[in-house]
Amino acid sequence: FFYQQKNIKYLYFLVAVVYVIGLFIPLMANDSAQHATMAMRMYLSDNFFELLKGPNPYLDKPHMHFWLSAISFKIFGLYEWAYRIPSLLFTVLGAYSVYQLTKKLYSESVAHFSSLIFLTSQSIILANHDVRTDAVLTGTTIFAIWQLFEYVSTRKLISIILGAIGMGLSFSTKGFSGVGIICFSIFSHIIYTRN
């Protein structure tokens, strides 16, 4: 039934239902609630330069996740679902990037299944329910890999610019780990294809 192209949209719909329901569950204790509180403090104080945990500077993670959450609070208000919106948007970007990259490498049907496998993996669902930096990091990393793959294949300037932006966002979310994954993926592809 689901192997038919026209029925794939029903699977995407069911996945979307899971993510929309997840927007409204209570924040989980520990990191997710702590990060939401820090983003709320950033929003309420209108201070996007200092990231504080209590009275002390927070130096464990780059600011991107907190900036995105604080901006979401500014747009939508102080709600748990507003805290989760940036992660959801970057997960959609990640799923679209998986789809586009896989379509270039294989076929459209494989691309749909790859995107659905990405969206239904437990770690990605958890990254949207127990929000930390993971969904933003994953979305930006996959986006950068897709765009840099496009650049290697087509030499289009826009692809390397978008890839660099994706890599910069990945770095701003978690540090060098995202950049390392992107570089390893692209260099492996270049070596494999001898391009």
Side-chain angles (χ1 to χ4, degrees), residues 57-102:
Y58 184 73
L59 306 173
D60 288 357
K61 291 184 175 47
H63 286 41
M64 182 60 67
H65 168 66
F66 304 98
W67 286 336
L68 293 171
S69 299
I71 290 168
S72 184
F73 286 148
K74 269 198 175 298
I75 295 170
F76 300 111
L78 288 173
Y79 301 102
E80 291 167 336
W81 59 267
Y83 174 65
R84 290 185 171 104
I85 290 289
S87 291
L88 181 62
L89 293 176
F90 278 93
T91 297
V92 170
L93 175 68
Y96 182 73
S97 299
V98 165
Y99 171 80
Q100 290 295 333
L101 180 60
T102 309

Side-chain angles (χ1 to χ4, degrees), residues 11 14-15 23 29 37 39 46 52 70-71 79 95 99 107 118 139 143 153:
L11 286 174
L14 292 173
V15 170
L23 286 173
T37 302
D46 239 358
L52 301 172
I71 290 168
Y79 301 102
Y99 171 80
S107 68
F118 170 77
F143 175 75
S153 302

Side-chain angles (χ1 to χ4, degrees), residues 12 90-121 124 138-147 149-150:
Y12 282 114
F90 278 93
T91 297
V92 170
L93 175 68
Y96 182 73
S97 299
V98 165
Y99 171 80
Q100 290 295 333
L101 180 60
T102 309
K103 189 167 86 168
K104 295 280 184 187
L105 291 169
Y106 300 100
S107 68
E108 187 171 1
S109 61
V110 173
H112 279 299
F113 285 114
S114 298
S115 181
L116 286 165
I117 289 167
F118 170 77
L119 288 168
T120 57
S121 69
I124 297 301
T138 305
T140 55
T141 300
I142 296 171
F143 175 75
I145 291 169
W146 164 44
Q147 288 300 316
F149 171 84
E150 285 286 331

Side-chain angles (χ1 to χ4, degrees), residues 5-55:
Q5 190 70 23
K6 63 182 180 178
N7 296 323
I8 293 287
K9 63 185 173 199
Y10 298 118
L11 286 174
Y12 282 114
F13 174 76
L14 292 173
V15 170
V17 168
V18 170
Y19 280 92
V20 169
I21 289 170
L23 286 173
F24 300 99
I25 63 175
L27 286 179
M28 297 181 186
N30 298 334
D31 287 346
S32 187
Q34 174 188 305
H35 291 177
T37 302
M38 292 163 62
M40 178 187 72
R41 185 177 187 175
M42 191 179 271
Y43 155 71
L44 290 174
S45 68
D46 239 358
N47 181 356
F48 285 75
F49 296 104
E50 289 181 302
L51 186 57
L52 301 172
K53 180 181 175 185

Side-chain angles (χ1 to χ4, degrees), residues 127-187:
N128 280 271
H129 294 175
D130 184 21
V131 175
R132 301 175 194 190
T133 59
D134 303 321
V136 176
L137 174 66
T138 305
T140 55
T141 300
I142 296 171
F143 175 75
I145 291 169
W146 164 44
Q147 288 300 316
L148 294 173
F149 171 84
E150 285 286 331
Y151 176 73
V152 168
S153 302
T154 65
R155 300 288 192 262
K156 290 183 182 173
L157 181 62
I158 189 68
S159 295
I160 198 165
I161 291 171
L162 291 174
I165 290 170
M167 191 181 289
L169 290 171
S170 181
F171 180 80
S172 298
T173 302
K174 190 80 170 185
F176 187 71
S177 50
V179 174
I181 292 167
I182 295 164
C183 292
F184 178 78
S185 300
I186 294 303
F187 287 132

